[in-house]
């Protein structure tokens, strides 16, 4: 009987498409064995390292880890007192176990490693790991540049915000993938972590790597980190514990300030200060930290940031408030030139608002001007691309200063008598900004 039970558990797992276990009570009923007697038989199989159990809100997968044998035995003993309850809903009667943590049975990893032929998985190393009983939510860490292949290929839909994202290939109107079959991949979720030197790494749970083709599993395998790494706390809380967090990256915090500032300007002056706020699907995917710190990626980011700020400023906002042109003399000829958007913003703010204590309007606008100036370097000369780790901190510094300036502008507008009617998001001044 024990051998038959062992074989049933083994065959159920290897024939399952999603590496599932068989419910304890279901197999007890199949073999028509008294429930408590059946549990004692399972305990023997657990002690013999032939069977393993999972008990959780979702025991149908091997979740985060395998339990120690003594913990499994205790869980099985406790299961003897779990009752079956019945209820009726709209004329349909059904029974269920009165427990939040039902139990499913699996072949042990020792059993799988010594008996299972995984030739069907070929070079799909992560699929093979699941087939041999590795936990589905086991985090695997990778060099962050593993993502760049998908980020820079327009045939892939690459979504990333704050600390998590997903990847899939794009399909045409007939739902045919734009890539060859070997590249038709899906990463349902990936997150951010850190190695022991605090460098960013990518993290993907084993189950999501299973959705990669064998060719891409090999690619990811070659990017695996060997040293100890940790998951970003917010990603762990959201994906494993199911607790939503309101932490944001500096990039999302910047866009929130931009949105509020634009709404304030419209409330006060009936004109938007900026053309766009880049919310939701309008957010450029490149508005995040770069996955490879190269001069090209840095220059592209500076160009984008300038488009979000100086090129995004609405000149119409300043009509009737300032002269939009400046006259200069050249060789006795008076030339009329348009003022730049940042010059207009600084001039207008200086004329209507005085800062008490240290600082000035010029100090607030300075980070925006620095971005504009930084943009001019690649615009007027050919620069050789290069890999430079220092660009990581440089990007952090630039976006941090831009965020602080945007926040101060929002404070200024909110001080306006009409602006005080605007209800800010409750958390805007207490956002926990994640350091990535």
């Amino acid at each position: 009987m024990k051998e038959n039970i062992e074989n049933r558990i083994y065959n159920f797992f290897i024939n399952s498409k999603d590496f599932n276990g068989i419910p304890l009570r279901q197999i007890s009923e199949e073999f028509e064995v008294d429930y408590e007697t059946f549990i004692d038989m399972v305990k023997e199989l657990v002690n013999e390292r032939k069977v393993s159990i999972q008990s959780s809100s979702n025991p149908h997968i091997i979740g985060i880890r395998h339990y120690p044998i003594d913990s499994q035995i205790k869980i099985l003993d406790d299961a003897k007192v779990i009752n079956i309850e019945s209820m009726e809903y709209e004329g349909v009667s059904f029974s269920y176990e009165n427990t939040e943590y039902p139990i499913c049975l699996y072949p042990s990893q020792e059993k799988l490693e010594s008996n299972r032929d995984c030739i069907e998985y070929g070079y799909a190393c992560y699929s093979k790991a699941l087939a041999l009983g590795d936990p589905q939510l086991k985090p695997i860490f990778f060099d962050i540049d593993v993502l760049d292949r998908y980020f820079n290929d327009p045939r892939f839909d690459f979504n990333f915000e704050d600390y998590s994202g997903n990847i899939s290939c794009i399909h045409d109107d007939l739902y045919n993938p734009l890539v060859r079959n070997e590249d038709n991949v899906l990463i349902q979720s990936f997150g951010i972590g850190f190695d022991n030197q605090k460098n960013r790494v990518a993290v993907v749970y084993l189950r999501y790597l299973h959705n990669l083709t064998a060719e891409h599993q090999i690619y990811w395998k070659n990017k695996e980190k060997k040293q100890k790494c940790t998951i970003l706390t917010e990603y762990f809380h959201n994906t494993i514990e199911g607790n939503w967090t309101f932490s944001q990256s500096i990039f999302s915090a910047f866009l929130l300030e931009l949105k509020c500032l634009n709404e304030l300007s419209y409330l006060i002056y009936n004109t938007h200060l900026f053309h766009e706020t880049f919310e939701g699907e309008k957010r450029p995917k490149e508005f995040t930290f770069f996955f490879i710190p190269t001069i090209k990626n840095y220059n592209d980011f500076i160009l984008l940031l300038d488009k979000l700020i100086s090129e995004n400023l609405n000149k119409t906002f300043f009509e009737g408030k300032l002269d939009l042109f400046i006259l200069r003399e050249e060789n006795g000829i008076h030339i009329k030139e348009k003022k730049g958007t940042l010059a207009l913003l600084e001039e207008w703010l200086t004329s209507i608002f005085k800062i008490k204590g240290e600082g000035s309007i010029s100090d607030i606008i300075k980070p925006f001007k620095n971005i504009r100036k930084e943009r001019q370097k690649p615009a007027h000369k050919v620069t050789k691309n290069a890999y430079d780790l220092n660009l990581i901190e440089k990007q952090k510094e630039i976006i941090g200063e831009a965020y602080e300036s945007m926040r101060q502008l929002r404070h200024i507008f909110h001080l306006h008598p009409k602006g005080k009617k605007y209800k800010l998001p409750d958390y805007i001044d207490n956002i926990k900004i994640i350091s990535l």
Side-chain angles (χ1 to χ4, degrees):
M1 177 66 77
K2 274 176 52 181
E3 184 177 348
N4 290 338
I5 293 170
E6 178 187 345
N7 290 335
R8 176 71 174 107
I9 295 168
Y10 177 83
N11 290 326
F12 185 92
F13 179 79
I14 67 171
N15 290 320
S16 167
K17 293 182 179 180
D18 293 314
F19 314 103
N20 301 128
I22 186 169
L24 173 64
R25 196 174 292 273
Q26 174 186 328
I27 192 171
S28 168
E29 292 172 354
E30 281 186 18
F31 281 88
E32 298 180 344
V33 177
D34 172 73
Y35 188 54
E36 291 190 23
T37 302
F38 184 82
I39 286 177
D40 288 333
M41 298 172 72
V42 172
K43 285 167 57 181
E44 291 180 23
L45 290 169
V46 168
N47 278 318
E48 293 167 6
R49 298 184 180 275
K50 295 176 178 177
V51 166
S52 178
I53 75 162
Q54 288 287 309
S55 177
S56 67
S57 56
N58 180 19
H60 299 281
I61 64 168
I62 302 172
I64 300 174
R65 63 189 178 94
H66 289 275
Y67 296 95
I69 287 180
D70 57 347
S71 297
Q72 295 185 53
I73 298 301
K74 184 179 187 309
I75 291 169
L76 288 167
D77 278 330
D78 293 342
K80 291 180 179 180
V81 299
I82 296 174
N83 297 319
I84 290 289
E85 297 198 5
S86 300
M87 67 177 297
E88 185 174 311
Y89 181 73
E90 295 186 351
V92 178
S93 297
F94 60 92
S95 300
Y96 64 95
E97 286 189 314
N98 184 19
T99 177
E100 295 181 10
Y101 302 105
I103 297 170
C104 284
L105 307 179
Y106 296 80
S108 68
Q109 284 190 288
E110 293 90 339
K111 170 82 173 179
L112 288 166
E113 288 170 2
S114 61
N115 289 272
R116 186 163 196 183
D117 183 356
C118 292
I119 193 170
E120 63 183 287
Y121 296 103
Y123 294 106
C125 51
Y126 297 115
S127 300
K128 181 179 177 181
L130 288 170
L132 293 177
D134 269 12
Q136 297 205 20
L137 299 179
K138 176 182 178 181
I140 313 293
F141 298 93
F142 305 89
D143 290 325
I144 194 69
D145 63 12
V146 72
L147 301 171
D148 203 62
R149 171 177 182 174
Y150 309 96
F151 179 77
N152 283 313
D153 191 331
R155 296 172 300 171
F156 290 98
D157 188 12
F158 186 99
N159 299 300
F160 180 77
E161 187 172 332
D162 292 328
Y163 46 80
S164 65
N166 57 75
I167 304 167
S168 60
C169 69
I170 294 176
H171 294 71
D172 63 19
D173 293 339
L174 298 176
Y175 207 69
N176 296 310
L178 299 184
V179 296
R180 60 192 184 127
N181 289 335
E182 292 83 356
D183 294 324
N184 190 355
V185 300
L186 169 69
I187 292 284
Q188 187 174 329
S189 176
F190 68 85
I192 298 300
F194 301 96
D195 64 17
N196 51 18
Q197 296 178 320
K198 302 300 181 183
N199 297 312
R200 301 176 192 132
V201 298
V203 58
V204 185
Y205 297 125
L206 181 59
R207 181 60 181 81
Y208 300 143
L209 293 165
H210 169 59
N211 293 327
L212 295 171
T213 62
E215 184 172 305
H216 283 255
Q217 289 194 34
I218 294 170
Y219 166 72
W220 283 74
K221 185 67 177 177
N222 289 329
K223 295 286 187 177
E224 267 193 42
K225 299 291 287 186
K226 304 304 178 185
Q227 67 263 51
K228 180 177 175 58
C229 298
T230 56
I231 304 177
L232 184 71
T233 302
E234 285 77 8
Y235 186 66
F236 179 82
H237 285 334
N238 285 359
T239 56
I240 299 299
E241 295 183 344
N243 295 326
W244 188 253
T245 174
F246 292 98
S247 304
Q248 293 186 351
S249 71
I250 190 74
F251 305 97
S252 291
F254 174 90
L255 291 179
L256 176 61
E257 292 291 353
L258 174 62
K259 172 180 178 291
C260 292
L261 176 57
N262 218 35
E263 290 175 350
L264 275 163
S265 71
Y266 190 81
L267 176 65
I268 300 167
Y269 299 102
N270 203 35
T271 307
H272 287 121
L273 181 61
F274 293 94
H275 293 293
E276 290 280 354
T277 53
F278 302 98
E279 299 172 69
E281 293 183 357
K282 290 186 177 182
R283 173 174 174 167
K285 75 170 187 177
E286 296 84 3
F287 193 57
T288 184
F289 64 83
F290 27 73
F291 300 112
I292 301 181
T294 63
I295 291 175
K296 178 185 182 303
N297 285 340
Y298 173 77
N299 288 339
D300 288 347
F301 175 77
I302 291 297
L303 174 62
L304 175 60
L305 190 54
D306 187 58
K307 288 180 177 179
L308 267 59
I309 301 172
S310 65
E311 291 192 13
N312 192 26
L313 280 164
N314 179 17
K315 278 195 173 183
T316 305
F317 177 86
F318 303 102
E319 291 180 355
K321 301 179 179 70
L322 297 172
D323 189 341
L324 303 185
F325 297 88
I326 187 171
L327 288 175
R328 65 178 181 84
E329 185 177 335
E330 186 176 309
N331 299 325
I333 300 174
H334 290 281
I335 300 174
K336 190 176 184 180
E337 287 185 348
K338 293 180 180 180
K339 294 178 182 177
T341 54
L342 294 178
L344 288 169
L345 179 62
E346 182 176 356
E347 182 182 347
W348 174 70
L349 283 172
T350 302
S351 69
I352 66 164
F353 189 81
K354 305 299 179 184
I355 294 178
K356 295 180 180 179
E358 296 182 358
S360 65
I361 295 297
S362 178
D363 292 334
I364 296 175
I365 305 301
K366 184 178 179 180
F368 299 159
K369 289 183 174 180
N370 289 341
I371 292 166
R372 187 71 176 168
K373 183 179 179 182
E374 192 79 355
R375 175 190 172 171
Q376 301 306 317
K377 296 177 182 178
H380 294 98
K381 66 177 182 178
V382 176
T383 56
K384 184 179 180 180
N385 198 18
Y387 182 91
D388 186 354
L389 285 172
N390 294 321
L391 295 175
I392 294 174
E393 293 304 318
K394 195 171 182 181
Q395 185 193 35
K396 285 183 181 180
E397 181 181 351
I398 286 174
I399 185 60
E401 291 176 351
Y403 161 73
E404 184 60 29
S405 289
M406 197 66 73
R407 193 176 69 85
Q408 291 183 49
L409 287 178
R410 186 259 301 170
H411 275 297
I412 289 173
F413 273 66
H414 202 221
L415 289 172
H416 191 283
K418 290 184 179 179
K420 292 178 180 178
K421 299 177 183 177
Y422 179 75
K423 182 170 174 54
L424 291 165
D426 293 336
Y427 57 91
I428 191 168
D429 285 318
N430 298 297
I431 293 175
K432 179 186 176 185
I433 296 179
I434 309 165
S435 178
L436 294 176

